[in-house]
Amino acid sequence: MKRSDLLEKIKNAPNDPGCYIYKNNVEKIIYIGKARNIQKRVSSYFVHTGKDVKTSKLIQHISDVEFIITHSEIDALILENNLIKEHKPKYNILLRDDKTFPYVKISNEYFPRVLITRKFENDGGKYFGPFTESRRLKHTIELIKRIFPVRRCNRSFNAGNIGPEKQKVCLNYHINRCEAPCVKYVSYQHYMEMVQKIEDFLNGKTAEVIDYFQKRMKEAAMSQKYEFAAKYRDNIKLVNNLYRRQIVEDTTLEDRDLFNISVEENKACAVLMKIRQGKLLGQEVFFMDWSGNQAEESILENFIQNYYSNTTNFPNEIIVENLPTDRELLQDWLKEISGKIVKIIKAVRKDKTRLLSMAKKNAGLRLREFILKEKKIYNYIPLTLSSLRESLNLNSLPKKIEGFDISNISGTHKVASMVCFVNASAKKSEYRKFSIKTVDGINDFASMAEVIKRRYTRVLKENLEKPDLILIDGGKGQLSVAKAVLNNLGLGSIPIIGLAKKLEEIFIPGESEPIVLAKDNPGLTLLRRIRDESHRFAITYHRKKRSKASVKSILDDIPGLGENKKLALINHFKSVERIKALSIEDLCDVKGIGLKLAKNIWVCIHER
């Protein structure tokens, strides 16, 4: 879009609350913002006064803008947060790897379990976190399970399938890791009371937990059940030991979160200190990408949005060094998502400023460590890469290598895989798998051409990082079709090679003779690893597709079994062999399948 057309579009922008979305010249979203008045906010970007470095760079790349009107400014804030998570624009401040932080989950089951998960889902479970120290978290959860022996198995229970006549105790009961609620050795009420105490424990309400065990200990002693009394005594010691380093901060017993930020070299670090019932429980550390010289108040505002949209544990107060610009709006948003009033307060009292100062120092220390670590990783050149560059006569180090493989049996369920290695190590977050869509029968050449075209068309469209080397599993044929596709896409400058299986020969486009390296050559060892990994990934995907197809075929045409219930069976039992081996009672464990339908499924499967 021409600059004059863009300015005209901004001039006619709505005066309502909502979100504005800036795009670059290839229609890629580069910034998402919210506003009480969209027209005023977007117009302010193009007034040439007092712009920071980040905003100046952003303005240079704006080619188009899109507007979304909302009912209120709070709705705009919620929408902005959701859009940023989905699109991850370059010029927004992003919480690094927020999806990978672990949570503690109390599952939404008849007998709830305590789990560590990295997925925050709307499944009725209760989530605590996110946490940044996974090792410490695992240790804490193991202690919780020692203190509160909740079940560890993944069996499905309901009010109708528990009891000694329907269930058997497992090993966990015999080694004192479970109280066997499935056979009613303890009551449902007792089990749920234990789960409630775990919630109190995770919320930092240690006094309630200790009171609970002290009461149980006295009752056991009065009943002369001294073994149980000793167990409760030991549990009290474990709870006290776990929190022996807590510091009492005030006598108000308010739940508070304290935040502080440190910024350096386009990176930001936020430290969160949680105070529950007047006790400092510890700190969590988060790193963010940051583009430009943005004020710390603005970074903090973005972080608060990121953090509290991914947690269910809200304090009564959030204490900061400097108040965010949209403090009132943030408070309204926090009230909306938490169901209670959450105040954002500037630290004034000496004890709070002392804690914030400590958080600031910790943030600065951790950020410097993080930046130093990233620099070491970036500058590290493994021997295998330098050997590979020399062997293949490459212009630069092949720090990023993408490897491709095709998998099928007699032309059915054709799939392909792409694996990615960065600095000679697998980067599984960038692995991709493909179902071949345009090729009939057995034709590995055409399949390879389709996959290469799909992959690098997307790389160009989304402006993704290009690899330093592409590895094709195959010889001259696969290599030549892949090279032709890259040339057509204008990516002929990317080095591409083929690695033949039989003699480990390396084929290069335009060369009639292959390169043969010594078997112990470090570069060849790396290429073999990438080739074998792409083969493994393709085979795994192919087996999964074949297994799903066979499961579907065995469940086809069963009266009363619709698509949703068929899918539920597949997701629950995973394989044909397992479904065939099931009893009618096992089939009833799947949600939506009653006794009559289970009998029908069992009969149809075994008749076939």
Side-chain angles (χ1 to χ4, degrees):
M1 182 181 287
K2 292 180 180 178
R3 203 66 168 178
S4 58
D5 294 337
L6 175 64
L7 294 174
E8 184 66 24
K9 190 173 184 179
I10 289 169
K11 186 179 178 182
N12 295 313
N15 291 299
D16 303 279
C19 291
Y20 53 96
I21 301 169
Y22 287 139
K23 299 178 181 180
N24 63 12
N25 58 355
V26 291
E27 291 293 302
K28 184 177 175 65
I29 294 173
I30 56 175
Y31 185 79
I32 296 169
K34 66 180 182 305
R36 184 181 286 112
N37 183 311
I38 295 174
Q39 205 279 331
K40 286 184 179 178
R41 177 65 63 85
V42 293
S43 297
S44 69
Y45 280 87
F46 297 90
V47 178
H48 300 290
T49 54
K51 297 289 185 296
D52 57 38
V53 174
K54 173 217 167 189
T55 307
S56 300
K57 285 182 180 178
L58 168 64
I59 293 167
Q60 291 172 19
H61 292 93
I62 297 172
S63 291
D64 195 6
V65 62
E66 182 182 327
F67 309 118
I68 301 176
I69 296 172
T70 60
H71 290 297
S72 67
E73 200 175 358
I74 295 176
D75 290 338
L77 178 63
I78 294 169
L79 177 61
E80 178 201 33
N81 191 46
N82 292 336
L83 290 173
I84 289 172
K85 277 187 179 181
E86 182 178 350
H87 297 288
K88 296 181 172 56
K90 178 180 179 180
Y91 289 96
N92 285 97
I93 296 166
L94 302 174
L95 187 62
R96 290 177 66 92
D97 298 323
D98 65 319
K99 288 186 178 177
T100 66
F101 289 136
Y103 294 84
V104 176
K105 173 184 175 181
I106 296 179
S107 64
N108 181 27
E109 298 173 278
Y110 189 74
F111 292 123
R113 291 176 291 158
V114 180
L115 310 164
I116 295 176
T117 179
R118 292 182 183 270
K119 290 183 179 180
F120 187 91
E121 299 174 310
N122 186 19
D123 57 2
K126 294 182 180 178
Y127 289 83
F128 301 84
F131 299 92
T132 55
E133 299 288 343
S134 57
R135 185 177 296 178
R136 189 182 71 193
L137 177 62
K138 287 175 183 175
H139 175 69
T140 302
I141 294 305
E142 197 52 45
L143 276 178
I144 287 174
K145 289 180 178 179
R146 281 178 59 191
I147 296 168
F148 303 99
V150 290
R151 72 184 183 97
R152 300 180 183 226
C153 66
N154 57 5
R155 287 186 284 174
S156 178
F157 297 113
N158 55 58
N161 71 351
I162 60 172
E165 67 284 352
K166 296 180 180 179
Q167 302 289 343
K168 292 182 180 179
V169 294
C170 63
L171 179 63
N172 283 321
Y173 171 75
H174 294 293
I175 59 175
N176 298 319
R177 287 188 168 188
C178 178
E179 293 185 332
C182 59
V183 292
K184 297 186 177 180
Y185 285 0
V186 293
S187 68
Y188 179 78
Q189 290 74 19
H190 169 88
Y191 189 89
M192 294 309 292
E193 187 179 0
M194 192 162 56
V195 171
Q196 181 57 53
K197 293 307 164 190
I198 292 174
E199 286 186 42
D200 291 341
F201 188 91
L202 291 169
N203 283 318
K205 298 177 180 178
T206 51
E208 283 90 334
V209 177
I210 290 171
D211 287 345
Y212 167 79
F213 282 124
Q214 284 178 338
K215 182 182 175 183
R216 294 265 174 184
M217 182 177 68
K218 288 176 182 176
E219 288 174 355
M222 291 289 288
S223 304
Q224 296 185 351
K225 296 178 180 178
Y226 300 117
E227 185 179 341
F228 287 100
K231 186 180 80 170
Y232 295 133
R233 177 204 62 203
D234 293 341
N235 286 344
I236 292 169
K237 286 181 181 178
L238 280 171
V239 174
N240 282 325
N241 287 339
L242 189 62
Y243 287 97
R244 66 186 181 276
R245 295 178 185 171
Q246 291 177 343
I247 306 166
V248 177
E249 294 303 328
D250 55 47
T251 56
T252 63
L253 302 182
E254 287 281 358
D255 290 348
R256 295 186 168 100
D257 284 351
L258 291 89
F259 288 101
N260 218 331
I261 294 278
S262 183
V263 175
E264 193 175 326
E265 293 188 23
N266 292 334
K267 295 285 185 290
C269 176
V271 167
L272 158 66
M273 296 183 131
K274 285 188 177 185
I275 296 176
R276 296 294 182 267
Q277 293 193 325
K279 295 179 180 179
L280 176 63
L281 300 187
Q283 69 176 21
E284 301 292 339
V285 181
F286 301 86
F287 298 101
M288 292 164 280
D289 291 322
W290 172 57
S291 302
N293 298 328
Q294 198 166 0
E296 289 189 12
E297 292 85 351
S298 180
I299 299 171
L300 183 62
E301 181 180 331
N302 278 273
F303 174 72
I304 287 173
Q305 284 179 243
N306 267 305
Y307 179 78
Y308 287 108
S309 63
N310 287 302
T311 188
T312 56
N313 189 359
F314 296 91
N316 299 324
E317 294 177 353
I318 297 171
I319 299 175
V320 294
E321 193 171 43
N322 296 300
L323 293 173
T325 312
D326 291 329
R327 172 195 177 190
E328 290 184 7
L329 176 60
L330 274 175
Q331 288 183 156
D332 290 341
W333 173 70
L334 287 165
K335 182 180 179 182
E336 176 118 346
I337 63 172
S338 67
K340 68 176 186 178
I341 294 173
V342 180
K343 297 178 182 177
I344 301 175
I345 299 170
K346 183 176 179 178
V348 177
R349 281 172 46 183
K350 187 177 179 180
D351 54 349
K352 300 298 179 293
T353 56
R354 179 176 61 84
L355 273 175
L356 282 174
S357 174
M358 184 169 72
K360 183 85 169 180
K361 287 179 181 177
N362 276 284
L365 175 65
R366 296 295 291 271
L367 183 58
R368 286 190 292 275
E369 289 174 351
F370 179 77
I371 291 171
L372 183 61
K373 184 179 177 182
E374 281 210 331
K375 284 180 177 177
K376 283 182 178 178
I377 291 171
Y378 183 79
N379 294 323
Y380 172 63
I381 302 174
L383 172 64
T384 50
L385 295 187
S386 54
S387 171
L388 198 56
R389 178 174 63 177
E390 184 179 335
S391 300
L392 301 179
N393 197 25
L394 300 173
N395 294 326
S396 60
L397 279 171
K399 287 194 169 186
K400 182 176 184 180
I401 305 174
E402 291 181 351
F404 293 85
D405 188 28
I406 306 292
S407 180
N408 68 83
I409 293 178
S410 302
T412 61
H413 309 301
K414 295 182 293 295
V415 299
S417 70
M418 187 207 85
V419 299
C420 179
F421 275 58
V422 176
N423 278 343
S425 297
K427 190 173 184 182
K428 295 193 175 183
S429 61
E430 293 198 23
Y431 281 22
R432 297 293 180 268
K433 50 195 177 187
F434 305 84
S435 290
I436 304 300
K437 299 176 179 178
T438 63
V439 181
D440 294 324
I442 304 172
N443 192 335
D444 284 358
F445 296 169
S447 298
M448 184 63 74
E450 178 191 324
V451 171
I452 296 294
K453 184 178 180 181
R454 284 167 60 185
R455 168 61 183 169
Y456 294 106
T457 299
R458 184 171 184 177
V459 167
L460 290 172
K461 185 179 178 181
E462 298 183 10
N463 198 25
L464 303 176
E465 182 187 0
K466 299 178 186 69
D468 301 309
L469 178 66
I470 298 171
L471 173 64
I472 303 296
D473 180 16
K476 286 183 180 180
Q478 289 94 333
L479 179 62
S480 60
V481 295
K483 178 63 175 173
V485 172
L486 289 176
N487 290 341
N488 290 337
L489 292 172
L491 297 174
S493 60
I494 299 177
I496 181 169
I497 61 171
L499 182 61
K501 288 187 178 76
K502 192 173 272 188
L503 300 175
E504 308 288 9
E505 296 172 325
I506 301 170
F507 291 93
I508 296 176
E511 298 290 335
S512 57
E513 295 299 322
I515 297 173
V516 180
L517 300 178
K519 297 296 182 185
D520 59 351
N521 182 286
L524 179 61
T525 303
L526 174 60
L527 292 180
R528 278 201 303 258
R529 277 180 56 210
I530 298 170
R531 191 266 316 278
D532 293 345
E533 177 67 354
S534 65
H535 185 65
R536 180 201 65 79
F537 194 48
I539 286 288
T540 303
Y541 183 41
H542 182 261
R543 284 173 181 160
K544 187 177 179 182
K545 280 197 75 175
R546 207 169 68 236
S547 176
K548 278 194 173 182
S550 61
V551 171
K552 283 185 179 179
S553 64
I554 203 173
L555 298 177
D556 285 344
D557 304 321
I558 295 178
L561 186 64
E563 285 300 319
N564 289 338
K565 290 177 183 177
K566 191 189 298 183
L567 190 62
L569 275 171
I570 294 167
N571 290 335
H572 196 276
F573 297 114
K574 308 298 182 188
S575 70
V576 182
E577 288 73 20
R578 285 196 65 187
I579 292 176
K580 283 181 178 177
L582 296 172
S583 66
I584 292 170
E585 290 75 17
D586 292 330
L587 290 168
C588 289
D589 287 343
V590 179
K591 188 177 179 181
I593 295 182
L595 183 61
K596 184 178 178 182
L597 179 56
K599 286 179 180 177
N600 198 16
I601 294 169
W602 193 91
V603 170
C604 289
I605 288 173
H606 288 83
E607 281 182 353
R608 293 179 186 183

